[in-house]
Amino acid sequence: MTDLILASTSRYRAELLSRLRLPFSSVAPLVDETPLSGETPAALAQRLAKAKALVVAQQMPGSWVIGSDQVGEVDGAPLGKPGTHEAACAQLAAMSGQEIRFHTAICLSNGSEHLQAMDITRVQFRTLGSAEIARYVDAEQPLDCAGSFKCEGLGISLFEAIHSSDPTALVGLPLIQLAALLRQAGHPLP
């Protein structure tokens, strides 16, 4: 069996991948994540997942590499990681009372073969007041999370509902689809 590599330094993705009990290593993919002009959030997520897998697969011949990317969509525009407290509060205020779509793409590549999948998760935010938004951002510091929340933590209190075929997708790595791709590539999973 060839080596399995996660093309990510995200601790969230590494924690998810470890659930599959396959040995893997993590490598930072050096990929420009700037959206292309007119690129839809779904297309951006797919392009970046594949680019991350390919750049690492080229560095590590003979390995299977997992690339993943998640892009939120608000009114057709991509929603990224906030980076600052102020930007996180602004993102959450803009999503208050709205249904937001999160496109989570994965690509499993060995450099010549590319297996891809995409999950779309719809998140219905409840109406949020500015004081509760500030309390949430202060408490959880979701500055490195697309959409400014951590659904696996206190962020779940911001929602009315989550609609998805894979509950791990919203955290950043859709394990149901990834397990199917890994089995297709010959990795032994139950």
Side-chain angles (χ1 to χ4, degrees):
M1 187 56 51
T2 59
D3 291 334
L4 184 62
I5 299 170
L6 177 62
S8 175
T9 57
S10 165
R11 67 181 184 270
Y12 310 112
R13 287 190 178 109
E15 288 170 10
L16 287 171
L17 183 54
S18 68
R19 292 185 192 181
L20 298 181
R21 298 183 183 181
L22 293 172
F24 71 94
S25 58
S26 296
V27 174
L30 301 177
V31 172
D32 180 1
E33 297 190 21
T34 306
L36 301 175
S37 178
E39 189 172 35
T40 66
L44 174 61
Q46 289 175 318
R47 179 177 61 83
L48 292 178
K50 187 174 183 180
K52 290 174 183 181
L54 284 176
V55 74
V56 174
Q58 290 170 353
Q59 298 167 10
M60 312 293 254
S63 298
W64 279 100
V65 180
I66 302 163
S68 183
D69 198 78
Q70 182 179 74
V71 179
E73 179 179 352
V74 178
D75 298 324
L79 175 71
K81 298 173 185 175
T84 68
H85 185 278
E86 295 75 22
C89 289
Q91 276 189 354
L92 289 170
M95 294 185 294
S96 175
Q98 304 289 323
E99 182 179 272
I100 310 302
R101 295 167 59 103
F102 288 88
H103 305 274
T104 308
I106 54 173
C107 179
L108 180 63
S109 177
N110 63 6
S112 59
E113 188 175 353
H114 319 291
L115 308 173
Q116 295 180 268
M118 167 84 83
D119 178 87
I120 299 172
T121 300
R122 296 177 297 121
V123 177
Q124 179 62 53
F125 281 81
R126 62 184 182 79
T127 301
L128 305 170
S130 59
E132 62 190 332
I133 289 172
R135 281 193 307 272
Y136 169 71
V137 173
D138 286 341
E140 201 149 60
Q141 297 292 311
L143 308 184
D144 63 343
C145 300
S148 304
F149 64 83
K150 297 179 184 179
C151 67
E152 68 278 20
L154 183 60
I156 199 74
S157 69
L158 305 173
F159 311 145
E160 287 182 0
I162 298 173
H163 306 282
S164 177
S165 61
D166 186 337
T168 60
L170 192 55
V171 183
L173 191 65
L175 291 182
I176 293 171
Q177 292 176 326
L178 178 57
L181 297 181
L182 287 166
R183 283 190 300 273
Q184 186 178 341
H187 289 272
L189 287 170

